[in-house]
């Protein structure tokens, strides 16, 4: 068992209002249950955190032990040697934090999936009646999951159920790992949390990408959400302009196909089967293209289905650079535009809008955030407004560009 410690300064008043330290029975049960966890075959690390609160007053230091040995982190491996960790605040009640794609339920414990926000309190004295002395010697086997002792121990029961839960998600984790290893994942930053089943995948150079959200219950089924970003007529023609249809983005006659209709047709048969079985309806937004008459199949991986529909291989880290697929705004020079939350804090880099407005001049091809381009055009005395759009000149090539007029709240 390893332990970590951290210190923080407190005031005298905060020390006086601190909760009472855990009783002796708490430490007795904690040691017993940590021994059990340590001997479980898939557990690779048991970290007991030590958090000392100190108060310095008149050159004297007082240490409050009320939060001593009250946090634990358990790490285990699944059958593919992937590591998974759950955390628990132990006193005065157990508060769990897990990183799973859906809720984690253990009898009276229910934890919603989603990383650091996935916590639930167990409002009872879990250390009561879990000591070895409560059982005859012939019943005391710390490694036997069916023994009365281990069945009474809450922490090992949580671990057993956690292992069973991640076992049920093996096919989902396999699909996500396959995407992460073989395709350019623009978002989220890798390695991603296990609770995150969304991936933004690069389609081709110039900023075109597709966002998919996998169904944790049917990992190889049609994604529950598909959204295309940066897929414009200009980018489609630039990639599929040869007109031979080999890239999957243009028809044999050289015309540009409707991406939305194409993808909807590609998954139509699978969706109908899902609706007949009472499955949730799938969403498809924005455009897609391919005249391929084959259908989405759960016998293929997510990656194979996407490449079959696209008609070509998706960009791979083995042969290309990620910078080829990340487009920055020609005005603010950022990829994601930072935005302010309701509390006034700046959001993370993966929450702001992308630069999806593009200059139509093929010799320029600059991308802009919608709000950046609007602010630029709004500042030009030569710009003009017609209906809901503002027209002006590209900051780089001076070709005509336009963007939707935004109100103050939108920019």
């Amino acid at each position: 068992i390893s332990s970590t410690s951290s210190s923080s300064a407190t005031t005298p008043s905060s020390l006086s209002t601190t909760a009472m330290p855990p009783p002796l029975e708490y430490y007795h049960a904690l040691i017993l249950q940590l021994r059990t966890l340590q001997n479980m075959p898939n557990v690779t690390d048991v970290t007991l955190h030590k958090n000392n609160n100190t108060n310095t007053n008149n050159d004297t230091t007082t240490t409050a032990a009320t939060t001593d040995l009250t946090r634990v982190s358990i790490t285990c491996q699944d059958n593919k040697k992937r590591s998974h960790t759950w955390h628990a605040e132990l006193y005065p009640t157990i508060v769990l934090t897990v990183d799973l794609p859906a809720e984690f339920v253990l009898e009276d414990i229910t934890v919603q999936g989603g990383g650091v926000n996935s916590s639930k309190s167990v409002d009872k004295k879990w250390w009561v009646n879990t000591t070895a002395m409560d059982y005859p010697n012939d019943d005391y086997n710390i490694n036997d999951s069916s023994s009365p002792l281990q069945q009474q121990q809450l922490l090992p029961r949580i671990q057993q159920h956690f292992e069973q839960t991640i076992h049920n998600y093996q096919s989902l984790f396999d699909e996500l790992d396959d995407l992460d290893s073989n395709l350019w994942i623009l978002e989220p930053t890798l390695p991603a949390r296990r609770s995150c089943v969304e991936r933004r995948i690069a389609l081709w150079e110039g900023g075109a990408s597709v966002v998919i959200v996998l169904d944790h219950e049917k990992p190889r089924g049609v994604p529950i959400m598909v959204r295309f970003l940066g897929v414009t007529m200009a980018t489609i023609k630039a990639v599929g302009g040869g007109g031979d249809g080999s890239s999957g983005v243009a028809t044999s006659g050289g015309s540009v196909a409707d991406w939305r209709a194409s993808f909807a047709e590609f998954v139509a048969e699978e969706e109908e089967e899902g609706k007949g079985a009472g499955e949730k309806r799938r969403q498809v937004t924005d455009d897609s293209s391919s005249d391929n008459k084959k259908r989405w199949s759960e016998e293929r991986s997510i990656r194979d289905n996407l490449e079959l529909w696209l008609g070509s291989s998706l960009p791979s880290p083995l042969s290309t650079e990620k910078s080829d697929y990340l487009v920055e705004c020609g005005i603010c020079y950022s990829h994601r535009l930072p935005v302010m939350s309701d509390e006034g804090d700046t959001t993370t880099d993966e929450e702001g809008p992308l630069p999806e407005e593009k200059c139509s001049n093929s010799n320029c091809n600059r991308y802009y955030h919608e709000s950046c381009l609007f602010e630029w055009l709004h500042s030009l005395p030569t710009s003009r407004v017609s209906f809901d759009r503002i027209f002006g000149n590209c900051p780089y090539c001076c070709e005509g560009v336009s963007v939707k007029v935004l109100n103050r709240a939108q920019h």
Side-chain angles (χ1 to χ4, degrees), residues 118-159:
S118 313
S119 59
K120 179 70 176 181
S121 173
V122 182
D123 190 15
K124 67 177 182 179
K125 296 181 179 180
W126 57 268
W127 57 87
V128 176
N129 297 327
T130 61
T131 58
M133 65 183 65
D134 294 328
Y135 299 93
N137 291 335
D138 56 351
D139 286 340
Y140 175 56
N141 185 344
I142 200 169
N143 297 317
D144 184 5
S145 61
S146 63
S147 68
L149 175 62
Q150 187 158 326
Q151 289 177 349
Q152 284 290 329
Q153 295 180 343
L154 182 58
L155 298 183
R157 284 200 297 119
I158 293 174
Q159 174 60 27

Side-chain angles (χ1 to χ4, degrees), residues 74-324:
I74 310 299
T75 301
C76 62
Q77 287 186 338
D78 60 22
N79 55 16
K80 296 293 181 66
K81 302 302 180 182
R82 290 177 286 238
S83 292
H84 306 267
T85 302
W86 58 274
H87 311 273
E89 297 283 345
L90 301 175
Y91 187 82
T93 60
I94 287 186
V95 180
L96 293 179
T97 302
V98 299
D99 184 18
L100 293 171
E103 70 177 14
F104 176 71
V105 180
L106 175 62
E107 296 176 1
D108 54 344
I109 308 170
T110 300
V111 183
Q112 297 294 326
V116 293
N117 295 323
S118 313
S119 59
K120 179 70 176 181
S121 173
V122 182
D123 190 15
K124 67 177 182 179
K125 296 181 179 180
W126 57 268
W127 57 87
V128 176
N129 297 327
T130 61
T131 58
M133 65 183 65
D134 294 328
Y135 299 93
N137 291 335
D138 56 351
D139 286 340
Y140 175 56
N141 185 344
I142 200 169
N143 297 317
D144 184 5
S145 61
S146 63
S147 68
L149 175 62
Q150 187 158 326
Q151 289 177 349
Q152 284 290 329
Q153 295 180 343
L154 182 58
L155 298 183
R157 284 200 297 119
I158 293 174
Q159 174 60 27
Q160 289 172 356
H161 192 67
F162 184 74
E163 289 183 13
Q164 181 58 49
T165 302
I166 62 176
H167 175 75
N168 296 338
Y169 289 133
Q170 288 303 290
S171 57
L172 173 65
F173 296 153
D174 289 344
E175 291 299 316
L176 292 172
D177 287 351
D178 179 61
L179 295 176
D180 295 346
S181 301
N182 296 287
L183 304 180
W184 270 126
I185 305 300
L186 305 183
E187 292 171 344
T189 301
L190 299 180
R193 298 196 312 268
R194 293 296 177 187
S195 57
C196 181
V197 295
E198 177 178 315
R199 294 293 187 270
R200 183 161 79 92
I201 303 169
L203 290 177
W204 58 74
E205 294 183 17
S209 60
V210 58
V211 179
I212 62 173
V213 178
L214 302 192
D215 186 342
H216 67 271
E217 295 180 350
K218 295 179 60 178
R220 286 196 168 191
V222 178
I224 59 177
M225 192 276 285
V226 178
R227 183 163 60 100
F228 294 93
L229 301 175
V231 179
T232 63
M233 286 296 186
T235 58
I236 294 174
K237 289 177 179 178
V239 177
D244 58 1
S246 59
S247 67
V249 295
T251 65
S252 58
S255 61
V256 177
D258 183 349
W259 281 56
R260 176 185 296 172
S262 171
F263 192 84
E265 181 182 357
F266 183 71
V267 302
E269 183 174 307
E270 182 70 21
E271 281 190 321
E272 289 301 322
E273 292 178 359
K275 291 176 185 178
E279 298 292 332
K280 64 185 72 174
R281 297 186 64 181
R282 269 66 178 178
Q283 294 179 337
V284 179
T285 59
D286 218 322
D287 294 333
S288 71
S289 119
S290 171
D291 282 337
N292 201 315
K293 299 302 181 182
K294 295 183 179 179
R295 296 286 185 258
W296 186 287
S297 173
E298 293 187 21
E299 296 180 357
R300 294 187 292 266
S301 67
I302 295 291
R303 175 166 60 96
D304 290 340
N305 275 305
L306 290 175
E307 291 181 339
L308 176 62
W309 160 72
L310 186 64
S312 63
S313 298
L314 289 165
S316 169
L318 303 178
S319 57
T320 58
E321 296 293 331
K322 187 175 183 179
S323 58
D324 295 336

Side-chain angles (χ1 to χ4, degrees), residues 371-392:
S371 59
C372 292
L373 185 57
F374 171 75
E375 291 286 354
W376 170 267
L377 296 179
H378 191 260
S379 67
L380 299 179
T382 57
S383 298
R384 59 185 178 86
V385 176
S386 178
F387 295 100
D388 64 341
R389 299 191 70 82
I390 184 171
F391 296 81

Side-chain angles (χ1 to χ4, degrees), residues 18-19 21-22 27 49-53 64-71:
T18 305
Y27 294 104
H49 304 275
K50 183 178 180 180
N51 185 13
N52 288 332
N53 291 331
T66 56
T67 55
D68 192 14
L69 307 180
T70 57
R71 294 184 298 120

